[in-house]
Amino acid sequence: GAGVSQTPSNKVTEKGKYVELRCDPISGHTALYWYRQSLGQGPEFLIYFQGTGAADDSGLPNDRFFAVRPEGSVSTLKIQRTERGDSAVYLCASSLIPTTHLYNEQFFGPGTRLTVL
Amino acid sequence: GDSVTQMEGPVTLSEEAFLTINCTYTATGYPSLFWYVQYPGEGLQLLLKATKADDKGSNKGFEATYRKETTSFHLEKGSVQVSDSAVYFCALSGDGNNRLAFGKGNQVVVIP
C-alpha cells in the first residue's frame, strides 16, 4: 500500500517568507508526527497529532512554527518569517495507534528539504 | 529529558566483517528502544525494536539487546554486506509519551 507522502520534496525560499509543507499519512493512521532533521543530526521531534488535535507540540521551536490537521488525515506544517536556521529536512511520520507502553512503530515519509536563502 | 547517545563518527568496514554500533540512553521509567535505518535516497525505516529489559530485537541479521542495567541498546551484525551501507539511528520512545528521541546517527560504509 501507499506509504507516507510529503510535498514538496524540495523547497527553496528567501529569508522572511512563509512556507507550507504537506504530509499525507498512511490511510487509517490516527497518529501523525512532525520531525526536523538538520545536517548531520538525528530527527528532532516537533509536534504530534492524535486525530485532529495537537496532543503534544512541545518540540515546536517558537511561535513562527504552526501545524494543522483539520480533518484528521493530511497535515500542513506552516513556518512564518523563515530564517536561515530553519533550513533542514522536515520529516512526517504516522502510526496506526498511539501507544505508550507497547512498541510505537512510526512510518516515515521521504521528507521535505527546506532551504532558506 | 529523554536522550540517546551514539558513538561518534562514521564506520567503514569490509564485507563480511563484524559490525557494532554503540547506543546508550537516558530516560525515566521504561522506554521502548528502536534502531532505524536510512538507506541512500530512501526514508527512515524501522530495523528492529525492543520494548522491555532483556528483550532482543532482530531483523535482517541485525540484533540488539535492551540492557537496563547499562542503559544500552548496541546494534550488532555478524557479517555485513555492501547492501548494509546506510545511516543507522538509535531511538527511544519514552514511558508515557509518543515522540521518538533519536541519536545523531552513524554512517556505515561497507567496502567490497
Side-chain angles (χ1 to χ4, degrees):
Chain A
V4 177
S5 62
Q6 293 185 246
T7 54
S9 54
N10 280 284
K11 176 71 176 178
V12 180
T13 190
E14 294 179 342
K15 181 176 178 296
K17 299 290 188 182
Y18 168 83
V19 297
E20 290 189 351
L21 312 179
R22 176 187 167 107
C23 171
D24 279 89
I26 294 172
S27 178
H29 280 195
T30 60
L32 186 145
Y33 313 79
W34 284 98
Y35 294 83
R36 177 168 72 173
Q37 185 174 14
S38 300
L39 192 63
Q41 303 294 315
E44 293 178 302
F45 170 80
L46 295 176
I47 186 169
Y48 152 61
F49 286 89
Q50 171 54 27
T52 60
D56 181 356
D57 64 358
S58 62
L60 294 177
N62 51 60
D63 61 6
R64 295 187 297 105
F65 288 75
F66 189 71
V68 296
R69 194 186 184 199
E71 297 178 357
S73 179
V74 170
S75 176
T76 304
L77 178 66
K78 307 180 181 194
I79 310 174
Q80 299 178 322
R81 305 183 303 281
T82 52
E83 299 178 357
R84 292 194 179 87
D86 298 335
S87 296
V89 176
Y90 289 81
L91 298 170
C92 177
S94 68
S95 66
L96 185 58
I97 52 171
T99 57
T100 56
H101 298 290
L102 300 177
Y103 81 93
N104 182 17
E105 182 166 0
Q106 296 179 23
F107 294 84
F108 282 81
T112 293
R113 181 176 299 278
L114 175 66
T115 303
V116 182
L117 300 177
Chain B
D2 298 341
S3 67
V4 174
T5 301
Q6 291 183 234
M7 52 191 282
E8 290 289 329
V11 178
T12 302
L13 60 171
S14 299
E15 206 166 20
E16 299 184 2
F18 184 87
L19 171 68
T20 299
I21 306 176
N22 289 342
C23 170
T24 57
Y25 68 89
T26 301
T28 55
Y30 301 91
S32 295
L33 301 175
F34 309 87
W35 278 98
Y36 277 82
V37 59
Q38 189 167 32
Y39 297 104
E42 299 184 16
L44 277 168
Q45 303 172 26
L46 179 65
L47 179 60
L48 53 83
K49 65 184 185 297
T51 58
K52 60 184 188 296
D54 300 324
D55 265 4
K56 178 185 283 187
S58 61
N59 186 26
K60 298 183 180 181
F62 291 88
E63 292 183 339
T65 301
Y66 187 163
R67 301 286 188 202
K68 192 162 177 65
E69 64 276 14
T70 54
T71 61
S72 65
F73 192 55
H74 304 322
L75 182 68
E76 297 182 337
K77 185 173 185 182
S79 177
V80 294
Q81 306 299 313
V82 172
S83 57
D84 294 324
S85 297
V87 182
Y88 293 81
F89 294 92
C90 186
L92 71 81
S93 178
D95 196 24
N97 69 66
N98 294 284
R99 59 185 180 270
L100 289 170
F102 286 87
K104 289 187 177 182
N106 286 101
Q107 172 89 49
V108 172
V109 177
V110 180
I111 300 170

